[in-house]
Amino acid sequence: MEKQDKKLHESPDSILWNKFLMGDDEAYAQVYKQHFQKLFIYGVFYSSDRDVVKDCIQDVFVKIYNKRRGLSSTDNIFLYLAVAVKNSIINAVKKHNRKVQYLEAVDEQSWEDEKTPESLYIDRETQTQNHLTLDLLLSQLTDRQRGIISSRFIKGMSISEISEEQGVNYQSVSNIIQRSLIKIKALIKK
């Protein structure tokens, strides 16, 4: 048990995160560089508005920087940030929907807070479109890339955990993730 705890505190993510928590700005920059693109891809699952996703990611990075002294340790930086980004996006979408509803209510001189059938339909269609886009992007990857990307971003596994599960060394898993993200990014730009 002691070995496992020690291993947890010595993981690359844990070391980098702890440096950031101690005020190391280079560690903060490294966290940003390593995770921004992955968080963006993850965030698009929750909102198709890329600007909202980028703004929410930026907000999360500003908040963690300002509150770093009070944050807890983690051995999975992506998972830690992904939860914060997801919550930020959900709050931004809710806030936007409230503004839209308020403006519609003012225009129609109606003060109903409930979503209209049309907005519910649009929300469902947007979610369906996001899932179809994700499926299309993932279908362009090899089976191995798809499995590793799924483990990393959907299951929230660390690179070490994926390495152990797949029987592949840490660097190979990291390289596969990087190549997959580059491929997905190129597909998104098309």
Side-chain angles (χ1 to χ4, degrees):
M1 183 81 168
E2 237 178 79
K3 268 188 173 179
Q4 188 176 5
D5 288 343
K6 188 175 181 184
K7 183 180 175 186
L8 214 125
H9 295 293
E10 293 178 358
S11 73
D13 267 9
S14 179
I15 292 168
L16 178 62
W17 188 254
N18 286 333
K19 284 181 180 179
F20 158 63
L21 294 180
M22 297 302 291
D24 185 335
D25 287 341
E26 287 182 29
Y28 175 73
Q30 190 175 349
V31 168
Y32 183 87
K33 287 176 192 170
Q34 285 181 357
H35 296 285
F36 183 88
Q37 187 65 35
K38 294 182 279 187
L39 290 168
F40 177 77
I41 291 168
Y42 177 77
V44 172
F45 297 130
Y46 294 95
S47 174
S48 59
D49 187 334
R50 293 167 185 244
D51 291 332
V52 167
V53 173
K54 287 178 186 176
D55 288 346
C56 289
I57 293 170
Q58 294 293 343
D59 288 347
V60 165
F61 274 98
V62 168
K63 285 178 186 172
I64 66 166
Y65 185 83
N66 291 334
K67 297 181 179 187
R68 67 186 174 276
R69 301 258 186 253
L71 298 177
S72 59
S73 295
T74 184
D75 65 333
N76 189 333
I77 295 172
F78 174 78
L79 191 57
Y80 189 95
L81 295 174
V83 170
V85 168
K86 178 181 94 169
N87 291 336
S88 181
I89 291 170
I90 289 170
N91 289 337
V93 169
K94 283 180 183 177
K95 185 176 179 181
H96 174 74
N97 284 344
R98 278 191 226 117
K99 285 181 183 176
V100 169
Q101 288 175 350
Y102 176 76
L103 292 173
E104 286 173 353
V106 168
D107 288 345
E108 298 171 10
Q109 295 183 356
S110 165
W111 298 97
E112 294 181 73
D113 281 340
E114 294 182 27
K115 283 189 153 195
T116 64
E118 293 84 9
S119 67
L120 291 172
Y121 175 78
I122 291 169
D123 289 347
R124 277 195 305 271
E125 286 301 308
T126 301
Q127 188 175 23
T128 300
Q129 186 60 44
N130 287 344
H131 286 288
L132 291 173
T133 301
L134 174 62
D135 289 343
L136 178 64
L137 291 171
L138 291 177
S139 73
Q140 302 299 310
L141 301 176
T142 66
D143 289 340
R144 183 176 225 175
Q145 287 174 324
R146 198 169 29 256
I148 289 175
I149 290 293
S150 173
S151 294
R152 183 73 172 130
F153 298 111
I154 296 172
K155 295 178 185 175
M157 295 172 67
S158 71
I159 294 175
S160 299
E161 292 169 331
I162 297 168
S163 176
E164 288 177 27
E165 179 186 79
Q166 300 277 333
V168 179
N169 71 41
Y170 183 94
Q171 188 60 49
S172 294
V173 172
S174 184
N175 291 344
I176 290 169
I177 291 171
Q178 193 63 33
R179 284 193 297 271
S180 300
L181 292 176
I182 289 168
K183 189 173 186 178
I184 289 171
K185 184 177 180 180
L187 292 168
I188 289 172
K189 286 184 177 180
K190 284 185 178 180

